[in-house]
Amino acid sequence: MSPMTPVQPLPREALTPDAYRQLEHAASLKGLLKPFKGKGELEHLAQMAREIEAQLCHLMEAVVQQAGQPPYSLLNIRLVLQNTSAGSTFLRWRTRDFARMGVAVWERQISNQALPQIVREGLHRFECERIALNLQMSVVHSLYRQASTCAIKMASAERLLRQLTTAVEVSG
């Protein structure tokens, strides 16, 4: 992109307070900070975390779509969704040819002196949104994994108690 290329900033639409409103309601920690009475409550917590992950993924897709529009689509970098082996999704910067990935790709692009300031500011906004969404996804996915694991452990403890109770009743 040459310094003489006219640049129109993209409207900031992807991560408005309205986009987060539904997530704020679903992600209340009230349901986490209480005594759990059985595996069912933990399974419900895990299910809620999965639903929040899906909503975060939609927000990520909106940011990727915005970052894929001109003038950003004319640059040598792309913001992409990357699915992990752990089952979550994160936003990553990649070069157009997919040869390099990571923050260094973004740093190299934003440091380009020929880049108009308005484009630099847009790239900065995308990077801040990427950082925040990745944090949120990481926390929610960790909550999902922990709740699922604890539900399995609680089910195992409940099974053992039933077995011991049955064995005592049979022998008594």
Side-chain angles (χ1 to χ4, degrees), residues 5-6 12-13 19 25 37 39 57-58 77 81 83 89 91 97-98 113-115 135 137 172:
T5 304
R12 186 177 166 101
E13 295 173 359
H25 177 70
K37 296 180 177 128
K39 72 172 184 158
C57 203
H58 282 73
I77 64 171
L81 292 170
N83 297 318
T89 303
L91 289 168
D97 63 4
F98 286 82
Q113 294 299 315
L115 209 58
L135 162 73
M137 182 62 82

mmCIF file with all atom_site columns, all heavy atoms in Angstrom, residues 5-6 12-13 19 25 37 39 57-58 77 81 83 89 91 97-98 113-115 135 137 172:
data_model
loop_
_atom_site.group_PDB
_atom_site.id
_atom_site.type_symbol
_atom_site.label_atom_id
_atom_site.label_alt_id
_atom_site.label_comp_id
_atom_site.label_asym_id
_atom_site.label_entity_id
_atom_site.label_seq_id
_atom_site.pdbx_PDB_ins_code
_atom_site.Cartn_x
_atom_site.Cartn_y
_atom_site.Cartn_z
_atom_site.occupancy
_atom_site.B_iso_or_equiv
_atom_site.pdbx_formal_charge
_atom_site.auth_seq_id
_atom_site.auth_comp_id
_atom_site.auth_asym_id
_atom_site.auth_atom_id
_atom_site.pdbx_PDB_model_num
ATOM 1   N N   . THR A 1 5   ? -2.230  6.206   -1.235 1.00 0.00 ? 5   THR A N   1
ATOM 2   C CA  . THR A 1 5   ? -3.494  5.504   -1.394 1.00 0.00 ? 5   THR A CA  1
ATOM 3   C C   . THR A 1 5   ? -4.530  6.093   -0.445 1.00 0.00 ? 5   THR A C   1
ATOM 4   O O   . THR A 1 5   ? -4.286  6.175   0.752  1.00 0.00 ? 5   THR A O   1
ATOM 5   C CB  . THR A 1 5   ? -3.324  4.001   -1.076 1.00 0.00 ? 5   THR A CB  1
ATOM 6   O OG1 . THR A 1 5   ? -2.301  3.477   -1.892 1.00 0.00 ? 5   THR A OG1 1
ATOM 7   C CG2 . THR A 1 5   ? -4.613  3.246   -1.292 1.00 0.00 ? 5   THR A CG2 1
ATOM 8   N N   . PRO A 1 6   ? -5.694  6.512   -0.962 1.00 0.00 ? 6   PRO A N   1
ATOM 9   C CA  . PRO A 1 6   ? -6.715  7.037   -0.054 1.00 0.00 ? 6   PRO A CA  1
ATOM 10  C C   . PRO A 1 6   ? -7.236  5.911   0.835  1.00 0.00 ? 6   PRO A C   1
ATOM 11  O O   . PRO A 1 6   ? -7.445  4.794   0.378  1.00 0.00 ? 6   PRO A O   1
ATOM 12  C CB  . PRO A 1 6   ? -7.803  7.551   -0.990 1.00 0.00 ? 6   PRO A CB  1
ATOM 13  C CG  . PRO A 1 6   ? -7.538  6.946   -2.314 1.00 0.00 ? 6   PRO A CG  1
ATOM 14  C CD  . PRO A 1 6   ? -6.095  6.524   -2.355 1.00 0.00 ? 6   PRO A CD  1
ATOM 15  N N   . ARG A 1 12  ? -16.274 0.836   13.494 1.00 0.00 ? 12  ARG A N   1
ATOM 16  C CA  . ARG A 1 12  ? -15.983 -0.080  14.602 1.00 0.00 ? 12  ARG A CA  1
ATOM 17  C C   . ARG A 1 12  ? -17.284 -0.756  15.008 1.00 0.00 ? 12  ARG A C   1
ATOM 18  O O   . ARG A 1 12  ? -18.047 -0.222  15.797 1.00 0.00 ? 12  ARG A O   1
ATOM 19  C CB  . ARG A 1 12  ? -15.389 0.705   15.752 1.00 0.00 ? 12  ARG A CB  1
ATOM 20  C CG  . ARG A 1 12  ? -14.920 -0.170  16.871 1.00 0.00 ? 12  ARG A CG  1
ATOM 21  C CD  . ARG A 1 12  ? -14.266 0.684   17.935 1.00 0.00 ? 12  ARG A CD  1
ATOM 22  N NE  . ARG A 1 12  ? -14.098 -0.065  19.128 1.00 0.00 ? 12  ARG A NE  1
ATOM 23  C CZ  . ARG A 1 12  ? -12.953 -0.604  19.509 1.00 0.00 ? 12  ARG A CZ  1
ATOM 24  N NH1 . ARG A 1 12  ? -11.885 -0.429  18.787 1.00 0.00 ? 12  ARG A NH1 1
ATOM 25  N NH2 . ARG A 1 12  ? -12.880 -1.297  20.617 1.00 0.00 ? 12  ARG A NH2 1
ATOM 26  N N   . GLU A 1 13  ? -17.524 -1.946  14.456 1.00 0.00 ? 13  GLU A N   1
ATOM 27  C CA  . GLU A 1 13  ? -18.805 -2.613  14.688 1.00 0.00 ? 13  GLU A CA  1
ATOM 28  C C   . GLU A 1 13  ? -18.694 -3.937  15.424 1.00 0.00 ? 13  GLU A C   1
ATOM 29  O O   . GLU A 1 13  ? -19.599 -4.324  16.118 1.00 0.00 ? 13  GLU A O   1
ATOM 30  C CB  . GLU A 1 13  ? -19.502 -2.875  13.352 1.00 0.00 ? 13  GLU A CB  1
ATOM 31  C CG  . GLU A 1 13  ? -19.886 -1.618  12.622 1.00 0.00 ? 13  GLU A CG  1
ATOM 32  C CD  . GLU A 1 13  ? -20.409 -1.889  11.240 1.00 0.00 ? 13  GLU A CD  1
ATOM 33  O OE1 . GLU A 1 13  ? -20.458 -3.050  10.826 1.00 0.00 ? 13  GLU A OE1 1
ATOM 34  O OE2 . GLU A 1 13  ? -20.760 -0.928  10.556 1.00 0.00 ? 13  GLU A OE2 1
ATOM 35  N N   . ALA A 1 19  ? -22.567 -6.295  21.425 1.00 0.00 ? 19  ALA A N   1
ATOM 36  C CA  . ALA A 1 19  ? -22.047 -7.613  21.054 1.00 0.00 ? 19  ALA A CA  1
ATOM 37  C C   . ALA A 1 19  ? -21.732 -8.435  22.302 1.00 0.00 ? 19  ALA A C   1
ATOM 38  O O   . ALA A 1 19  ? -21.852 -9.654  22.293 1.00 0.00 ? 19  ALA A O   1
ATOM 39  C CB  . ALA A 1 19  ? -20.798 -7.471  20.186 1.00 0.00 ? 19  ALA A CB  1
ATOM 40  N N   . HIS A 1 25  ? -24.377 -11.526 30.511 1.00 0.00 ? 25  HIS A N   1
ATOM 41  C CA  . HIS A 1 25  ? -25.423 -12.192 31.283 1.00 0.00 ? 25  HIS A CA  1
ATOM 42  C C   . HIS A 1 25  ? -25.086 -13.664 31.500 1.00 0.00 ? 25  HIS A C   1
ATOM 43  O O   . HIS A 1 25  ? -25.194 -14.175 32.609 1.00 0.00 ? 25  HIS A O   1
ATOM 44  C CB  . HIS A 1 25  ? -26.774 -12.053 30.570 1.00 0.00 ? 25  HIS A CB  1
ATOM 45  C CG  . HIS A 1 25  ? -27.883 -12.772 31.264 1.00 0.00 ? 25  HIS A CG  1
ATOM 46  N ND1 . HIS A 1 25  ? -28.383 -12.360 32.468 1.00 0.00 ? 25  HIS A ND1 1
ATOM 47  C CD2 . HIS A 1 25  ? -28.559 -13.902 30.941 1.00 0.00 ? 25  HIS A CD2 1
ATOM 48  C CE1 . HIS A 1 25  ? -29.331 -13.196 32.851 1.00 0.00 ? 25  HIS A CE1 1
ATOM 49  N NE2 . HIS A 1 25  ? -29.454 -14.125 31.935 1.00 0.00 ? 25  HIS A NE2 1
ATOM 50  N N   . LYS A 1 37  ? -23.520 -29.433 44.289 1.00 0.00 ? 37  LYS A N   1
ATOM 51  C CA  . LYS A 1 37  ? -24.153 -30.553 44.980 1.00 0.00 ? 37  LYS A CA  1
ATOM 52  C C   . LYS A 1 37  ? -24.047 -31.870 44.235 1.00 0.00 ? 37  LYS A C   1
ATOM 53  O O   . LYS A 1 37  ? -24.416 -32.905 44.750 1.00 0.00 ? 37  LYS A O   1
ATOM 54  C CB  . LYS A 1 37  ? -25.617 -30.225 45.251 1.00 0.00 ? 37  LYS A CB  1
ATOM 55  C CG  . LYS A 1 37  ? -25.751 -29.049 46.199 1.00 0.00 ? 37  LYS A CG  1
ATOM 56  C CD  . LYS A 1 37  ? -27.198 -28.732 46.473 1.00 0.00 ? 37  LYS A CD  1
ATOM 57  C CE  . LYS A 1 37  ? -27.265 -27.609 47.475 1.00 0.00 ? 37  LYS A CE  1
ATOM 58  N NZ  . LYS A 1 37  ? -28.077 -26.506 47.081 1.00 0.00 ? 37  LYS A NZ  1
ATOM 59  N N   . LYS A 1 39  ? -22.645 -33.914 40.183 1.00 0.00 ? 39  LYS A N   1
ATOM 60  C CA  . LYS A 1 39  ? -22.037 -33.805 38.855 1.00 0.00 ? 39  LYS A CA  1
ATOM 61  C C   . LYS A 1 39  ? -22.929 -33.040 37.871 1.00 0.00 ? 39  LYS A C   1
ATOM 62  O O   . LYS A 1 39  ? -22.437 -32.380 36.974 1.00 0.00 ? 39  LYS A O   1
ATOM 63  C CB  . LYS A 1 39  ? -21.695 -35.183 38.298 1.00 0.00 ? 39  LYS A CB  1
ATOM 64  C CG  . LYS A 1 39  ? -22.902 -35.993 37.879 1.00 0.00 ? 39  LYS A CG  1
ATOM 65  C CD  . LYS A 1 39  ? -22.520 -37.252 37.170 1.00 0.00 ? 39  LYS A CD  1
ATOM 66  C CE  . LYS A 1 39  ? -23.804 -37.917 36.718 1.00 0.00 ? 39  LYS A CE  1
ATOM 67  N NZ  . LYS A 1 39  ? -23.653 -38.809 35.646 1.00 0.00 ? 39  LYS A NZ  1
ATOM 68  N N   . CYS A 1 57  ? -16.561 -17.224 19.683 1.00 0.00 ? 57  CYS A N   1
ATOM 69  C CA  . CYS A 1 57  ? -16.124 -17.581 18.330 1.00 0.00 ? 57  CYS A CA  1
ATOM 70  C C   . CYS A 1 57  ? -16.842 -16.716 17.291 1.00 0.00 ? 57  CYS A C   1
ATOM 71  O O   . CYS A 1 57  ? -16.224 -16.274 16.321 1.00 0.00 ? 57  CYS A O   1
ATOM 72  C CB  . CYS A 1 57  ? -16.346 -19.063 18.074 1.00 0.00 ? 57  CYS A CB  1
ATOM 73  S SG  . CYS A 1 57  ? -15.300 -19.722 16.776 1.00 0.00 ? 57  CYS A SG  1
ATOM 74  N N   . HIS A 1 58  ? -18.116 -16.448 17.510 1.00 0.00 ? 58  HIS A N   1
ATOM 75  C CA  . HIS A 1 58  ? -18.859 -15.560 16.595 1.00 0.00 ? 58  HIS A CA  1
ATOM 76  C C   . HIS A 1 58  ? -18.265 -14.151 16.606 1.00 0.00 ? 58  HIS A C   1
ATOM 77  O O   . HIS A 1 58  ? -18.146 -13.509 15.558 1.00 0.00 ? 58  HIS A O   1
ATOM 78  C CB  . HIS A 1 58  ? -20.343 -15.521 16.960 1.00 0.00 ? 58  HIS A CB  1
ATOM 79  C CG  . HIS A 1 58  ? -21.102 -16.717 16.492 1.00 0.00 ? 58  HIS A CG  1
ATOM 80  N ND1 . HIS A 1 58  ? -20.971 -17.953 17.083 1.00 0.00 ? 58  HIS A ND1 1
ATOM 81  C CD2 . HIS A 1 58  ? -21.985 -16.870 15.484 1.00 0.00 ? 58  HIS A CD2 1
ATOM 82  C CE1 . HIS A 1 58  ? -21.745 -18.813 16.456 1.00 0.00 ? 58  HIS A CE1 1
ATOM 83  N NE2 . HIS A 1 58  ? -22.376 -18.192 15.481 1.00 0.00 ? 58  HIS A NE2 1
ATOM 84  N N   . ILE A 1 77  ? -0.657  -8.999  5.669  1.00 0.00 ? 77  ILE A N   1
ATOM 85  C CA  . ILE A 1 77  ? -1.005  -9.832  6.823  1.00 0.00 ? 77  ILE A CA  1
ATOM 86  C C   . ILE A 1 77  ? -2.494  -10.127 6.829  1.00 0.00 ? 77  ILE A C   1
ATOM 87  O O   . ILE A 1 77  ? -3.289  -9.431  6.206  1.00 0.00 ? 77  ILE A O   1
ATOM 88  C CB  . ILE A 1 77  ? -0.603  -9.177  8.166  1.00 0.00 ? 77  ILE A CB  1
ATOM 89  C CG1 . ILE A 1 77  ? -1.368  -7.887  8.405  1.00 0.00 ? 77  ILE A CG1 1
ATOM 90  C CG2 . ILE A 1 77  ? 0.891   -8.962  8.247  1.00 0.00 ? 77  ILE A CG2 1
ATOM 91  C CD1 . ILE A 1 77  ? -1.155  -7.320  9.804  1.00 0.00 ? 77  ILE A CD1 1
ATOM 92  N N   . LEU A 1 81  ? -8.585  -17.311 12.154 1.00 0.00 ? 81  LEU A N   1
ATOM 93  C CA  . LEU A 1 81  ? -8.996  -18.172 13.254 1.00 0.00 ? 81  LEU A CA  1
ATOM 94  C C   . LEU A 1 81  ? -8.150  -19.433 13.214 1.00 0.00 ? 81  LEU A C   1
ATOM 95  O O   . LEU A 1 81  ? -7.973  -20.031 12.149 1.00 0.00 ? 81  LEU A O   1
ATOM 96  C CB  . LEU A 1 81  ? -10.471 -18.549 13.120 1.00 0.00 ? 81  LEU A CB  1
ATOM 97  C CG  . LEU A 1 81  ? -11.472 -17.423 13.313 1.00 0.00 ? 81  LEU A CG  1
ATOM 98  C CD1 . LEU A 1 81  ? -12.871 -17.882 12.917 1.00 0.00 ? 81  LEU A CD1 1
ATOM 99  C CD2 . LEU A 1 81  ? -11.466 -16.945 14.752 1.00 0.00 ? 81  LEU A CD2 1
ATOM 100 N N   . ASN A 1 83  ? -7.911  -23.158 15.024 1.00 0.00 ? 83  ASN A N   1
ATOM 101 C CA  . ASN A 1 83  ? -8.462  -24.150 15.937 1.00 0.00 ? 83  ASN A CA  1
ATOM 102 C C   . ASN A 1 83  ? -7.310  -24.927 16.562 1.00 0.00 ? 83  ASN A C   1
ATOM 103 O O   . ASN A 1 83  ? -6.377  -25.318 15.876 1.00 0.00 ? 83  ASN A O   1
ATOM 104 C CB  . ASN A 1 83  ? -9.394  -25.107 15.189 1.00 0.00 ? 83  ASN A CB  1
ATOM 105 C CG  . ASN A 1 83  ? -10.587 -24.378 14.627 1.00 0.00 ? 83  ASN A CG  1
ATOM 106 O OD1 . ASN A 1 83  ? -11.165 -23.525 15.271 1.00 0.00 ? 83  ASN A OD1 1
ATOM 107 N ND2 . ASN A 1 83  ? -10.944 -24.692 13.397 1.00 0.00 ? 83  ASN A ND2 1
ATOM 108 N N   . THR A 1 89  ? -10.596 -22.075 19.910 1.00 0.00 ? 89  THR A N   1
ATOM 109 C CA  . THR A 1 89  ? -10.235 -21.284 18.739 1.00 0.00 ? 89  THR A CA  1
ATOM 110 C C   . THR A 1 89  ? -9.582  -19.989 19.203 1.00 0.00 ? 89  THR A C   1
ATOM 111 O O   . THR A 1 89  ? -10.033 -19.378 20.171 1.00 0.00 ? 89  THR A O   1
ATOM 112 C CB  . THR A 1 89  ? -11.496 -20.958 17.915 1.00 0.00 ? 89  THR A CB  1
ATOM 113 O OG1 . THR A 1 89  ? -12.132 -22.182 17.554 1.00 0.00 ? 89  THR A OG1 1
ATOM 114 C CG2 . THR A 1 89  ? -11.167 -20.177 16.666 1.00 0.00 ? 89  THR A CG2 1
ATOM 115 N N   . LEU A 1 91  ? -7.445  -16.236 17.736 1.00 0.00 ? 91  LEU A N   1
ATOM 116 C CA  . LEU A 1 91  ? -7.119  -15.341 16.631 1.00 0.00 ? 91  LEU A CA  1
ATOM 117 C C   . LEU A 1 91  ? -5.603  -15.248 16.509 1.00 0.00 ? 91  LEU A C   1
ATOM 118 O O   . LEU A 1 91  ? -4.909  -15.066 17.510 1.00 0.00 ? 91  LEU A O   1
ATOM 119 C CB  . LEU A 1 91  ? -7.689  -13.937 16.887 1.00 0.00 ? 91  LEU A CB  1
ATOM 120 C CG  . LEU A 1 91  ? -9.205  -13.812 16.786 1.00 0.00 ? 91  LEU A CG  1
ATOM 121 C CD1 . LEU A 1 91  ? -9.669  -12.470 17.348 1.00 0.00 ? 91  LEU A CD1 1
ATOM 122 C CD2 . LEU A 1 91  ? -9.648  -13.960 15.341 1.00 0.00 ? 91  LEU A CD2 1
ATOM 123 N N   . ASP A 1 97  ? 1.064   -15.143 2.623  1.00 0.00 ? 97  ASP A N   1
ATOM 124 C CA  . ASP A 1 97  ? 1.482   -16.443 2.063  1.00 0.00 ? 97  ASP A CA  1
ATOM 125 C C   . ASP A 1 97  ? 1.509   -17.559 3.117  1.00 0.00 ? 97  ASP A C   1
ATOM 126 O O   . ASP A 1 97  ? 1.929   -18.672 2.841  1.00 0.00 ? 97  ASP A O   1
ATOM 127 C CB  . ASP A 1 97  ? 2.848   -16.320 1.393  1.00 0.00 ? 97  ASP A CB  1
ATOM 128 C CG  . ASP A 1 97  ? 3.965   -15.948 2.362  1.00 0.00 ? 97  ASP A CG  1
ATOM 129 O OD1 . ASP A 1 97  ? 3.707   -15.844 3.591  1.00 0.00 ? 97  ASP A OD1 1
ATOM 130 O OD2 . ASP A 1 97  ? 5.102   -15.749 1.895  1.00 0.00 ? 97  ASP A OD2 1
ATOM 131 N N   . PHE A 1 98  ? 1.085   -17.246 4.342  1.00 0.00 ? 98  PHE A N   1
ATOM 132 C CA  . PHE A 1 98  ? 1.019   -18.190 5.461  1.00 0.00 ? 98  PHE A CA  1
ATOM 133 C C   . PHE A 1 98  ? 2.394   -18.731 5.860  1.00 0.00 ? 98  PHE A C   1
ATOM 134 O O   . PHE A 1 98  ? 2.492   -19.759 6.520  1.00 0.00 ? 98  PHE A O   1
ATOM 135 C CB  . PHE A 1 98  ? 0.052   -19.348 5.164  1.00 0.00 ? 98  PHE A CB  1
ATOM 136 C CG  . PHE A 1 98  ? -1.384  -18.932 5.248  1.00 0.00 ? 98  PHE A CG  1
ATOM 137 C CD1 . PHE A 1 98  ? -2.008  -18.305 4.183  1.00 0.00 ? 98  PHE A CD1 1
ATOM 138 C CD2 . PHE A 1 98  ? -2.115  -19.149 6.403  1.00 0.00 ? 98  PHE A CD2 1
ATOM 139 C CE1 . PHE A 1 98  ? -3.325  -17.896 4.264  1.00 0.00 ? 98  PHE A CE1 1
ATOM 140 C CE2 . PHE A 1 98  ? -3.434  -18.745 6.492  1.00 0.00 ? 98  PHE A CE2 1
ATOM 141 C CZ  . PHE A 1 98  ? -4.044  -18.121 5.424  1.00 0.00 ? 98  PHE A CZ  1
ATOM 142 N N   . GLN A 1 113 ? 6.742   2.236   7.663  1.00 0.00 ? 113 GLN A N   1
ATOM 143 C CA  . GLN A 1 113 ? 6.646   3.706   7.626  1.00 0.00 ? 113 GLN A CA  1
ATOM 144 C C   . GLN A 1 113 ? 5.711   4.212   6.526  1.00 0.00 ? 113 GLN A C   1
ATOM 145 O O   . GLN A 1 113 ? 5.192   5.318   6.623  1.00 0.00 ? 113 GLN A O   1
ATOM 146 C CB  . GLN A 1 113 ? 8.041   4.320   7.458  1.00 0.00 ? 113 GLN A CB  1
ATOM 147 C CG  . GLN A 1 113 ? 8.948   4.079   8.649  1.00 0.00 ? 113 GLN A CG  1
ATOM 148 C CD  . GLN A 1 113 ? 8.385   4.690   9.923  1.00 0.00 ? 113 GLN A CD  1
ATOM 149 O OE1 . GLN A 1 113 ? 7.922   5.821   9.937  1.00 0.00 ? 113 GLN A OE1 1
ATOM 150 N NE2 . GLN A 1 113 ? 8.400   3.918   11.013 1.00 0.00 ? 113 GLN A NE2 1
ATOM 151 N N   . ALA A 1 114 ? 5.508   3.422   5.486  1.00 0.00 ? 114 ALA A N   1
ATOM 152 C CA  . ALA A 1 114 ? 4.639   3.840   4.380  1.00 0.00 ? 114 ALA A CA  1
ATOM 153 C C   . ALA A 1 114 ? 3.155   3.696   4.728  1.00 0.00 ? 114 ALA A C   1
ATOM 154 O O   . ALA A 1 114 ? 2.294   4.166   3.993  1.00 0.00 ? 114 ALA A O   1
ATOM 155 C CB  . ALA A 1 114 ? 4.960   3.020   3.131  1.00 0.00 ? 114 ALA A CB  1
ATOM 156 N N   . LEU A 1 115 ? 2.860   3.061   5.835  1.00 0.00 ? 115 LEU A N   1
ATOM 157 C CA  . LEU A 1 115 ? 1.473   2.807   6.227  1.00 0.00 ? 115 LEU A CA  1
ATOM 158 C C   . LEU A 1 115 ? 0.810   4.086   6.747  1.00 0.00 ? 115 LEU A C   1
ATOM 159 O O   . LEU A 1 115 ? 1.344   4.756   7.622  1.00 0.00 ? 115 LEU A O   1
ATOM 160 C CB  . LEU A 1 115 ? 1.477   1.748   7.333  1.00 0.00 ? 115 LEU A CB  1
ATOM 161 C CG  . LEU A 1 115 ? 0.290   0.831   7.466  1.00 0.00 ? 115 LEU A CG  1
ATOM 162 C CD1 . LEU A 1 115 ? 0.049   0.053   6.183  1.00 0.00 ? 115 LEU A CD1 1
ATOM 163 C CD2 . LEU A 1 115 ? 0.502   -0.121  8.615  1.00 0.00 ? 115 LEU A CD2 1
ATOM 164 N N   . LEU A 1 135 ? -7.793  -13.919 25.363 1.00 0.00 ? 135 LEU A N   1
ATOM 165 C CA  . LEU A 1 135 ? -7.826  -14.075 26.822 1.00 0.00 ? 135 LEU A CA  1
ATOM 166 C C   . LEU A 1 135 ? -9.157  -14.673 27.250 1.00 0.00 ? 135 LEU A C   1
ATOM 167 O O   . LEU A 1 135 ? -9.210  -15.646 28.009 1.00 0.00 ? 135 LEU A O   1
ATOM 168 C CB  . LEU A 1 135 ? -7.628  -12.720 27.498 1.00 0.00 ? 135 LEU A CB  1
ATOM 169 C CG  . LEU A 1 135 ? -8.061  -12.668 28.975 1.00 0.00 ? 135 LEU A CG  1
ATOM 170 C CD1 . LEU A 1 135 ? -7.076  -13.409 29.856 1.00 0.00 ? 135 LEU A CD1 1
ATOM 171 C CD2 . LEU A 1 135 ? -8.263  -11.257 29.422 1.00 0.00 ? 135 LEU A CD2 1
ATOM 172 N N   . MET A 1 137 ? -11.351 -16.363 25.521 1.00 0.00 ? 137 MET A N   1
ATOM 173 C CA  . MET A 1 137 ? -11.501 -17.742 25.063 1.00 0.00 ? 137 MET A CA  1
ATOM 174 C C   . MET A 1 137 ? -10.685 -18.685 25.935 1.00 0.00 ? 137 MET A C   1
ATOM 175 O O   . MET A 1 137 ? -11.148 -19.771 26.307 1.00 0.00 ? 137 MET A O   1
ATOM 176 C CB  . MET A 1 137 ? -11.090 -17.870 23.591 1.00 0.00 ? 137 MET A CB  1
ATOM 177 C CG  . MET A 1 137 ? -11.258 -19.272 23.034 1.00 0.00 ? 137 MET A CG  1
ATOM 178 S SD  . MET A 1 137 ? -12.974 -19.866 23.040 1.00 0.00 ? 137 MET A SD  1
ATOM 179 C CE  . MET A 1 137 ? -13.577 -19.105 21.551 1.00 0.00 ? 137 MET A CE  1
ATOM 180 N N   . GLY A 1 172 ? -24.863 -56.556 55.711 1.00 0.00 ? 172 GLY A N   1
ATOM 181 C CA  . GLY A 1 172 ? -25.483 -56.270 57.010 1.00 0.00 ? 172 GLY A CA  1
ATOM 182 C C   . GLY A 1 172 ? -26.781 -56.898 57.145 1.00 0.00 ? 172 GLY A C   1
ATOM 183 O O   . GLY A 1 172 ? -27.348 -57.621 57.771 1.00 0.00 ? 172 GLY A O   1
#
